[in-house]
Amino acid sequence: MSHSYSDQKVINPATNPSFDEVLTARLSRRGLLKGAASLAMLGSLPLSLAGCATGGLKREGIIGFSSVPLSMGDSVRVPNGYTANVLLAWGDPIGHASGSPAFKQDASNTADEQALQTGMHHDGIHYFPLPYSSDGSGSSTSALLAINNEYIDEGLLHGDGFANWSAAKVRKSQNAMGVTVVEVRAGASGSWDIVRPSRYARRITGNTPMGLSGPAAGSARMMTAANPGGNECLGTLNNCAHGYTPWGTYLTCEENWDNFFMNSGAMTPDHTRNGITAKGRGYRWHEFDERFDAGKHPNEPNRFGWVVEIDPYEPQSKPVKRTALGRFSHEGAWPSFGDDGRLTIYMGDDRQFEYIYKFVSRDAWNRNDRKANNTLLDNGTLYVAKFNDGSGEWLALEHGKNGLTAAAGFRDQADVLIRTRAAADAVKATPMDRPEWIAVHPATREVYCTLTNNSRRGVDKSPGTNPSNPRAANTFGHIIRWREMGGDPAALKFQWDIFVMAGVPDHPDPAKRGNIKGDAFGSPDGLWFDDGGILWIQTDVSTSVLHTGDYERMGNNQMLAADINTGEVRRFLTGPNGCEITGVINTPDGRTMFVNIQHPGETSSERNDPAKPKAVSSWPDGVSGGRPRSATIVIRKNDGGVIGT
Ligand code: FEO
Ligand code: CA
Ligand code: CA
Ligand code: CA
């Protein structure tokens, strides 16, 4: 259900690149035995990627904190010498000029009130200094925070859950998702507050009008009864992780948007390939908002599954879905900047056996006039990754190339983009173990990607292992990294290796021990480089398996810091019960860190019983609160130093 549905159903029918043959060839060449020894070997292939990692950094990030132990406590724990405070929880008013309705602990706030309050299930987050600065510096005390609100738990959102289901409840659900923009300011002591009211405060929801642009906009497949032009839609859904542009816009990414659809009529191949089912996943929106019945409105799903660009500095601006970046379960959209000023955006498709993509802009961005970049993300090339034996290549998803022709069933570029997964299947991209976040090293441009887990890898009739996804029944996940040819983000070839295989060092099954140097973790998801080159790893062990089976001794979800030069991984934070840790960003001076705690109190079914909302957690409000709430927290070092050092 809901978010981690991606761990429960394979929707990629492609059998193309099962790389068992490649792996077998590789291992036999190296004279390795099967099993744990070969995994360990793959995990430590020297790629000569490190070494120059500290050159060119804004500051040097040497990990300097004491490791935090695993925890099953209902609180946020950070190292000695650090303090974490709650800044902005679900339901807190954002400070909009129309009003600041207070959160009601019994969840009796209306849909209209929710539209003026922080959304639910915080995920990706970015810091936009006030005022805008084009060189990546800017204020470390005044800013806008853009925060994704990924999905909803109806058992917490409404006092009586799905009982008395109504149009008003559907509208409240839609208003609890999307993006929250707030203005924040640091006080003299380093404490942070929300500025209320603020002209920048804004909610973007499942019903906010937004434009469609790029090659797929206006195509026949985008047209609906409500929008015959195929150029405008209502809302953004399941906003998982994020990205940003150097011209100061926020990219929010539509991940498991298909969860909100059902289909009472004929299922198209594209509906199926994107995970839509006849019954839907129980959100029941279609009962009062017919567009979520894909049988009645077969093109409505085509208007979701995109990357959306939002200008937080212009609160009246209309968000735009950028179709040139492809359509799938977008985890995030992370930029890398080429010497020529063109922008490359790395993107994962978080489903079992789906792919890693990148978009390369046709044009260089304009540093002097941020508005001149309004259509920069509409022109460029979308590529999908093929991981060979230590090297890799980017295959263009361009109509007329690589077999993506009319004869092969692709009408035009709009069709290639709307059916991105089918195009990637056709060019024989490498199916991965659920690509989540991607992080680009600030000096070397080396790219790291979390492959969170894939319990079906090599199980039953599912695709087998391949060099880049070398572990069958991969319950712990791994982090892969690559370096583009010549250090150019736009290059068509790369070299890769595996940075770390996650696991439990003393697991009885040697294949599940991984090769972590330091603290144990599994299901890596959030991933981010700070300006000092520390790699921050956040985990999302699904609540359906948390504290059981392989995860019996792993504790609550956590955040760790990795030194990519030594490979050491050290635990920095543990979260409250039932939560996932996702989303992290620092101020430009590195002295304040914002982290999101998502879905504290989530049950193993991922939906709370409305009669017992505090069954798993009462974080952050404790005894005085009525229900757990996702929240952004602020972390400071007590001596005011740089976080992590
Ligand atoms: Fe929303 Fe794949 O995490
Ligand atoms: Ca994620
Ligand atoms: Ca995840
Ligand atoms: Ca989760």
Side-chain angles (χ1 to χ4, degrees), residues 50 86 118 147 149 338 380 395 419 445 487 496 573 592:
V86 174
T118 305
I147 300 165
N149 298 112
L395 305 170
R419 297 193 298 132
R445 298 176 183 154
W496 64 268
L573 177 152
T592 297

Side-chain angles (χ1 to χ4, degrees), residues 219-237:
S219 81
R221 285 183 193 274
M222 292 294 236
M223 297 172 183
T224 61
N227 174 229
N231 59 354
E232 186 182 58
C233 70
L234 290 179
T236 180
L237 298 177

Side-chain angles (χ1 to χ4, degrees), residues 3 151 540 580 598-599 602:
H3 172 59
Y151 65 107
D540 174 22
E580 156 185 355
Q598 190 190 82
H599 65 64
E602 188 170 86

